[in-house]
Amino acid sequence: MGADSGRSRGTEGRISQWLRRRPKPQPETDDAARLELLLAVAEAGMPISPAAHPSGYRCSCERIGCPTPARHPVSFAWQTQSTTDRGQIERWAANQPLANFITATGMVHDVLDVPLAAGEAALERLIAAGIDVGPVARSGADRMLFFTATRGTPDDEDEWWPCELDCHPETMDEHPGLRWHCRGSYVLLPPARLPGELDVHWIRGPENPLPDPLTLLETLTDACARYADTADESDLDHGSVAWPLSR
């Protein structure tokens, strides 16, 4: 058992070094490359629709004090507007060259959205354990997105099971730890630009099959709990109170 433990630690160490040494993906600026990435998402079955984009340090929506600059859809009808139709996506990309895009969750896929430090630790553990991880994106400076198969949209409403981790656009602040984007929610899709020269980019692309969310949930929950404990200790050292893990 000691040898196995040593091999496991060695594997985790190599993966950690690989993650640190990988060059950070840069935001795509080429229109053709941007379109190719958007179409790859659509080909994976994930519906998308246009979103706002940065305008300097502000949001293109020009709303004073926009709470989510460059991170929200441009249409209130984004759920019905979202599509995988190639022609429509090509028209959007051509007519709105600066637009970011969101993908509506709960139809084909869900997204488990975690703090960046917790996500990096969880990804390392999942890969070391040989667990199939689907698409993964880094969102801005502080979040990581794990794309999974959806829990489904059954014909019988009673068959759909809610979860306390379910997150919707209006409840984002209530879930500072693990957020589960499912029906009625969305996430910003790579490639996307954010104010302050931040971006959203793929770590593992949409060509990776979507896993069952339950195969990732325990590892992600544990990583978030460890992250929360670390944040608690850090904030106590600085005389402040840290946020709790959403459960």
Side-chain angles (χ1 to χ4, degrees):
M1 182 171 179
D4 289 341
S5 176
R7 284 195 295 270
S8 176
R9 287 195 297 271
T11 301
E12 291 183 11
R14 288 193 298 273
I15 292 170
S16 179
Q17 292 173 14
W18 170 74
L19 287 172
R20 287 195 298 269
R21 291 174 181 172
R22 289 185 69 197
K24 292 184 179 180
Q26 297 299 310
E28 294 287 349
T29 56
D30 180 77
D31 290 344
R34 168 177 174 258
L35 177 59
E36 183 179 353
L37 285 171
L38 294 174
L39 291 175
V41 173
E43 289 170 4
M46 295 183 275
I48 71 175
S49 66
H53 61 83
S55 178
Y57 282 88
R58 300 179 62 182
C59 182
S60 62
C61 72
E62 298 184 351
R63 175 184 175 185
I64 297 176
C66 175
T68 54
R71 293 179 180 268
H72 60 83
V74 294
S75 171
F76 289 113
W78 58 269
Q79 292 190 69
T80 54
Q81 184 186 55
S82 296
T83 184
T84 59
D85 180 74
R86 182 185 183 96
Q88 180 61 69
I89 294 169
E90 289 175 340
R91 287 190 291 273
W92 279 334
N95 295 331
Q96 303 180 53
L98 297 179
N100 289 332
F101 282 79
I102 59 97
T103 178
T105 54
M107 301 180 191
V108 172
H109 68 296
D110 291 350
V111 172
L112 297 171
D113 172 355
V114 299
L116 178 61
E120 289 177 334
L123 180 59
E124 183 175 318
R125 289 174 56 192
L126 289 164
I127 293 174
I131 296 173
D132 291 332
V133 182
V136 180
R138 174 170 173 165
S139 183
D142 59 351
R143 305 295 296 187
M144 188 174 284
L145 310 176
F146 289 77
F147 289 67
T148 72
T150 187
R151 285 178 286 165
T153 52
D155 294 332
D156 184 351
E157 183 72 15
D158 292 335
E159 292 182 5
W160 185 80
W161 49 280
C163 171
E164 291 184 3
L165 298 175
D166 288 349
C167 180
H168 297 89
E170 66 275 10
T171 65
M172 291 273 283
D173 291 342
E174 298 173 18
H175 298 268
L178 175 61
R179 305 166 179 166
W180 195 328
H181 296 272
C182 52
R183 294 197 305 180
S185 191
Y186 60 82
V187 296
L188 200 59
L189 186 68
R193 296 177 301 111
L194 298 172
E197 299 185 355
L198 298 174
D199 74 314
V200 182
H201 61 256
W202 290 115
I203 296 173
R204 291 170 52 87
E207 70 278 3
N208 292 281
L210 295 169
D212 185 320
L214 298 183
T215 64
L216 310 184
L217 189 58
E218 182 177 356
T219 301
L220 289 172
T221 301
D222 181 63
C224 285
R226 292 170 185 262
Y227 173 78
D229 290 342
T230 302
D232 283 340
E233 292 174 2
S234 175
D235 284 343
L236 285 173
D237 289 342
H238 290 82
S240 59
V241 178
W243 49 264
L245 174 69
S246 300
R247 294 189 184 276

